[in-house]
């Protein structure tokens, strides 16, 4: 099967013009089909604050009231998505930007109230990734650039975690491609010591992850990221890597970062 | 040739929830291939005002500084575009939202300084409409929903007039389709008396238009709209209609509004 690289880029890279340029330069150099999934960065929080919309985060996830949803749609599906597309087009990459509503690419369901009301947050439904639509785009040598906004099919846009979005798309497409899922962010991988970038774990199994989570070495935002990543690996994704956005395209022999392993 | 309907919807309809629903219901009922081009409405001005960004309009066109450009990208390519897509998807229309940067669909050039500096405003370049890309989308029974943001191919997004965008797309595609270009807005057509909706002109030739413009009966925002419309008609577009968003899909025998004529 053909290799498909699904690259997820986090907010701290999007917010840093120089790091973003280095990342996009690498992305443009890739030969295989690629899907780019992007997160939000600080712009949404900044805009919400300027507009006087109170923001609440629970376990690193944004509580999305109607006004906040509008902000995320504007910033993620609008400003960030189109800025990335224009920058890739300038590098002769035929990027094409989407949210999950476009062409019904990713369908979700408003999260049910379970003690915490996350508001307009969408969890991707079973078979919610429109595989044939992605295949058609990739067959045309287009580079889909995906913002983490989904829809419920009944006219409601929903805010969805970008790490989850990348993992679900990877899981859905791995029947048709050898999928390499790469989470790019501002650290050099999963770190043993958050203050030392050289302390990244080169290979991490699920068992090791659980041990490190229980001991508190892996904590906070890394937990949902790794939960998503291991779920994707378990569903048949060929490889999952977590690394700095500046090094993600390095060949496997020189790869610097964390590679997840099944065993 | 197959008929293609290119429907442009104005801001006053987008801003009115009830009118918008009636419009979308009609759009969803169309049998032919359709492209929807949308304008901005008051949301961009409202957001800019809330953010303290001073807005300047010259001849109905927004002067677009860097901050205003971000606002237009957020509102047009983000909020309005994705809201329309989600609402059409809910009606089983396979809508897919784009700005001009996506898939290099519409390329423009920053307007040169000619006495007035419009800032980040883009004029669509010759052959700037990516005809093959539009054809592929239409062949897949997708409904492209186009926001009036373009790019210069060098990484810069640009704000482009939505009426012009619709006209240029219509002109570019009329070699391959019998294009019907329909400008939908809040009036019942081109009016002889702006205060009387029943005073719409059923048929308007270019000569009549020039006479009415010189006499001041046609003025303000109608002038660039009609300039765009007659240019499209002159370039080979099969028909151009200007009508209320609630009646645009009526059959030609019962059509209520202004139809432009070549003679």
């Amino acid at each position: 099967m053909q290799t498909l690289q699904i690259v997820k880029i986090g907010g701290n890279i999007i917010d840093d013009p120089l790091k973003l340029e280095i990342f996009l330069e690498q992305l443009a150099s890739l030969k295989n089909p690629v899907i780019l999934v992007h997160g939000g960065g600080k712009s949404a929080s900044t805009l919400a604050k300027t507009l006087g919309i109170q923001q609440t985060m629970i376990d690193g996830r944004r509580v999305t009231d109607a006004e906040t949803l509008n902000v995320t749609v504007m910033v993620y599906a609008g400003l960030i998505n189109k800025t990335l597309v224009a920058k890739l087009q300038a590098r002769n990459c035929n990027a094409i930007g989407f949210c999950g509503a476009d062409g019904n690419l990713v369908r979700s369901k408003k999260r049910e109230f379970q003690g915490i009301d996350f508001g307009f947050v969408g969890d991707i439904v079973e078979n919610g990734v429109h595989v044939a639509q992605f295949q058609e785009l990739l067959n045309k040598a287009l580079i889909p650039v995906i913002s983490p906004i989904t829809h419920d099919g009944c006219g409601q846009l929903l805010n969805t975690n970008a790490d989850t979005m990348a993992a679900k798309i990877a899981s859905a497409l791995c029947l048709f491609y050898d999928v390499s899922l790469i989470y790019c962010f501002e650290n050099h991988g999963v770190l043993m010591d958050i203050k030392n970038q050289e302390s990244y774990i080169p290979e991490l199994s699920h068992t090791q992850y659980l041990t490190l989570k229980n001991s508190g070495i892996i904590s906070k935002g890394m937990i949902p990221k790794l939960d998503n990543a291991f779920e994707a690996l378990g569903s048949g994704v060929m490889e999952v890597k977590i690394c700095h956005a500046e090094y993600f395209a390095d060949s496997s022999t020189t790869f610097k970062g964390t590679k997840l392993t099944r065993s």
Side-chain angles (χ1 to χ4, degrees), chain A:
Chain A
M1 285 197 292
Q2 195 177 20
T3 299
L4 165 66
Q5 299 192 65
I6 300 182
V7 183
K8 190 261 166 174
I9 182 182
N12 287 338
I13 303 302
I14 293 166
D15 288 338
D16 184 322
L18 182 62
K19 284 187 179 140
L20 182 62
E21 291 301 317
I22 296 170
F23 169 80
L24 292 173
E25 205 58 49
Q26 288 182 82
L27 194 81
S29 75
L30 296 178
K31 293 287 172 287
N32 292 313
V34 180
I35 295 171
L36 175 62
V37 180
H38 63 83
K42 296 196 189 80
S43 327
S45 303
T46 308
L47 180 61
K49 200 175 165 186
T50 312
L51 295 174
I53 304 166
Q54 187 77 35
Q55 295 296 283
T56 313
M57 306 289 281
I58 300 174
D59 296 338
R61 304 208 171 195
R62 195 185 298 275
V63 175
T64 309
D65 61 12
E67 280 185 310
T68 302
L69 177 68
N70 284 353
V71 167
T72 59
V73 173
M74 289 196 288
V75 174
Y76 302 165
L79 190 58
I80 294 176
N81 191 267
K82 300 318 168 195
T83 300
L84 290 173
V85 167
K87 283 177 181 291
L88 284 168
Q89 285 284 345
R91 290 173 166 85
N92 289 318
C93 289
N94 205 0
I96 188 160
F98 298 110
C99 78
D102 295 307
N104 193 25
L105 275 170
V106 185
R107 195 180 280 224
S108 66
K109 196 181 155 196
K110 189 167 182 282
R111 189 171 299 167
E112 280 169 23
F113 182 79
Q114 293 168 322
I116 302 166
D117 185 359
F118 280 99
F120 292 101
V121 164
D123 293 315
I124 297 167
V125 297
E126 215 180 316
N127 301 318
V129 176
H130 195 331
V131 173
Q133 194 72 69
F134 273 105
Q135 284 179 293
E136 280 180 8
L137 295 165
L138 296 169
N139 287 344
K140 300 286 178 198
L142 289 161
I143 300 179
V145 178
I146 310 290
S147 65
I149 300 294
T150 53
H151 78 136
D152 68 356
C154 305
Q156 182 63 56
L157 294 167
L158 293 164
N159 186 15
T160 295
N161 179 275
D163 285 347
T164 310
M165 195 105 165
K168 294 284 187 187
I169 294 170
S171 298
L173 290 171
C174 70
L175 285 172
F176 306 93
Y177 300 89
D178 284 332
V179 175
S180 172
L181 173 62
I182 309 167
Y183 286 102
C184 295
F185 68 155
E186 68 282 11
N187 290 333
H188 284 194
V190 182
L191 304 179
M192 286 297 287
D193 172 6
I194 193 70
K195 290 176 187 152
N196 177 8
Q197 288 295 332
E198 292 309 309
S199 72
Y200 67 86
I201 305 163
E203 291 204 344
L204 180 68
S205 72
H206 196 245
T207 315
Q208 285 171 308
Y209 162 54
L210 294 178
T211 308
L212 291 169
K213 187 167 78 167
N214 286 336
S215 65
I217 288 171
I218 293 175
S219 65
K220 295 182 184 168
M222 278 309 291
I223 294 173
K225 190 184 282 294
L226 282 166
D227 285 341
N228 278 306
F230 276 109
E231 197 182 313
L233 196 69
S235 75
V237 169
M238 185 181 68
E239 65 171 14
V240 182
K241 298 194 279 191
I242 298 175
C243 59
H244 194 285
E246 289 181 31
Y247 306 111
F248 86 93
D250 290 352
S251 71
S252 58
T253 48
T254 58
F255 174 70
K256 186 176 173 177
T258 300
K259 200 172 162 179
L260 305 192
T261 60
R262 283 193 176 79
S263 60

